Amino acid sequence: MRRLAKTRQVRRTFRTVAAGAVCSAALAALTAVPAQAQPSRHGAPHWVLKDTGTPDVRFRGLSAVGRDTAWVAGTKGTVLRTTDGGASWHDVSPPGAADLQFRDIEAFDARRAVVLAIGEGEASRVYRTEDGGTSWTESFRNTDPNAFYDCLTFFDRRHGLAVSDPVDGRFRILSTGDGGRSWKVLPNQGMPAALDGEAGFAASGQCLVASGPSDVWLATGGGARARVLHSGDRGLTWTAADTAIPAGDPAKGVFALAFRDRTHGLAVGGDYRADQASPQAAARTDDGGRTWQPAAQPPSAYRSGAAWLPHSRAAALAVGPTGTDLTTDGGRTWRTVDTGSYDTVDCAADLGCWAAGEQGRVARLER
């Protein structure tokens, strides 16, 4: 994540086709799952760990291509890929990247992916592969010592954005129109001024998310208010909206966003410190992020990742170090359904939902 303590140095160490009937059946079973780490209820969907063989790596970057194919990215410059549902994992890490911290990965299929490394100055980089990770091309290296990139997202296979913490008082947006082969910094005239201390959290690769051909949202924290910024023109102009998620501290704010369309979205976060409570750690919007309503029954603790269940208009998952929560009413109420530690979650259209986190943990939602 982006902010781990009050000093700049410490803060910067931490930093998505099934038929509707099938989805409905899975959802009905999931709502019956008791709140244990590995539910034993026969037939109910639950997280099943997939051995990655990397207990010393923390995966905050995750891209679910489907039930069979997923990519994860994490510490020590590690990128893994599975094409058999997690039965085996291939280390496809970029050469010479062992000192980098990968925090976000966006995969288009089993062969093409873009991965983001975070950090000050040249530590922030973007790599791209077209051959399943056999080879990588470094397509961006940050040269501004004041920039620190947190997350990236794609509207389609060609157009995407990455976001840096504020530079000269405004969030910096990086843009690609060729699938991540090249990048350019967008002008910042359309970006509202950042609040004092405001930044993004590189906690799950979900502080910047897109829906449809041109809408994108940016989650913030660290300032006096936890905000969500929205752009309807691929990052050229932005508007900001306050949320009720607690802020006012470098460890607090909105950590992740999930939009099932350009109107309905979820925000989760809180205070990432394990010894601190996280009340009001979730909010929802029904108007594209112009306004946000706090959850009537939020998750019981800090959550760093969120994803809508495919083919559902009301069900979504939120994950964090202390567990997984489920909503079945569009984010109005949440309840814990698993107590395993995960940092990020993503679902594919074929109901392939994956989660990843510390100690090499990667799991798939299974029955």
Side-chain angles (χ1 to χ4, degrees):
M1 272 173 330
R2 175 70 168 93
R3 297 292 196 253
L4 282 181
K6 297 208 179 270
T7 65
R8 180 182 178 91
Q9 179 65 29
V10 176
R11 286 199 304 262
R12 287 190 165 179
T13 63
F14 188 74
R15 327 245 230 227
T16 207
V17 175
V22 174
C23 179
S24 298
L27 175 59
L30 184 59
T31 59
V33 175
Q36 281 87 39
Q38 288 293 340
S40 59
R41 189 181 184 91
H42 180 70
H46 56 283
W47 292 125
V48 173
L49 287 169
K50 306 293 183 178
D51 185 12
T52 64
T54 56
D56 58 343
V57 175
R58 189 164 195 163
F59 294 115
R60 296 187 182 277
L62 166 66
S63 187
V65 177
R67 284 188 54 79
D68 293 332
T69 302
W71 300 65
V72 290
T75 55
K76 300 184 178 182
T78 306
V79 178
L80 304 183
R81 183 191 65 145
T82 183
T83 57
D84 56 11
S88 63
W89 294 87
H90 302 279
D91 187 339
V92 295
S93 306
D99 293 332
L100 299 179
Q101 302 283 326
F102 289 132
R103 295 297 180 88
D104 198 355
I105 187 166
E106 301 292 331
F108 307 116
D109 49 41
R111 298 182 59 80
R112 293 174 290 179
V114 179
V115 64
L116 171 72
I118 62 129
E120 295 179 342
E122 293 191 0
S124 284
R125 307 179 192 180
V126 177
Y127 293 83
R128 187 181 192 278
T129 183
E130 297 182 353
D131 55 14
T134 300
S135 64
W136 294 85
T137 300
E138 182 184 309
S139 58
F140 172 77
R141 182 180 297 205
N142 174 50
T143 58
D144 189 331
N146 297 311
F148 188 115
Y149 286 85
D150 299 300
C151 299
L152 60 83
T153 190
F154 277 83
F155 303 95
D156 51 43
R157 292 174 180 261
R158 294 182 56 81
H159 302 90
L161 302 176
V163 62
S164 164
D165 288 338
V167 177
D168 298 328
R170 299 175 190 271
F171 284 94
R172 175 169 288 181
I173 302 297
L174 199 64
S175 174
T176 180
D178 54 15
R181 296 177 180 87
S182 63
W183 299 83
K184 65 178 180 180
V185 175
L186 293 181
N188 67 1
Q189 291 89 338
M191 175 66 72
L195 304 176
D196 184 32
E198 190 176 28
F201 293 96
S204 59
Q206 295 175 320
C207 69
L208 186 72
V209 301
S211 181
S214 59
D215 287 281
V216 60
W217 296 264
L218 165 61
T220 81
R225 305 183 304 278
R227 304 196 296 175
V228 175
L229 281 63
H230 169 250
S231 171
D233 55 12
R234 293 183 182 170
L236 293 175
T237 60
W238 298 78
T239 57
D242 293 344
T243 75
I245 293 177
D249 184 280
K252 297 179 180 179
V254 181
F255 282 70
L257 299 169
F259 275 78
R260 66 172 174 84
D261 52 39
R262 65 188 306 268
T263 302
H264 301 88
L266 303 170
V268 299
D271 188 326
Y272 74 80
R273 294 171 295 193
D275 61 341
Q276 298 296 314
S278 288
Q280 297 179 308
R284 64 182 180 86
T285 181
D286 296 325
D287 57 13
R290 289 190 294 274
T291 61
W292 291 85
Q293 295 77 46
Q297 182 179 324
S300 60
Y302 154 74
R303 295 293 180 253
S304 55
W308 289 90
L309 269 64
H311 313 293
S312 173
R313 297 178 60 84
L317 298 169
V319 301
T322 62
T324 299
D325 292 281
L326 169 73
T327 179
T328 57
D329 54 14
R332 292 172 177 81
T333 61
W334 297 83
R335 70 181 185 88
T336 302
V337 294
D338 185 284
T339 56
S341 176
Y342 300 103
D343 295 312
T344 187
V345 60
D346 193 23
C347 292
D350 67 352
L351 297 183
C353 290
W354 297 78
E358 62 183 344
Q359 299 178 344
R361 289 168 58 90
V362 179
R364 190 178 70 174
L365 198 64
E366 297 186 2
R367 296 188 61 132

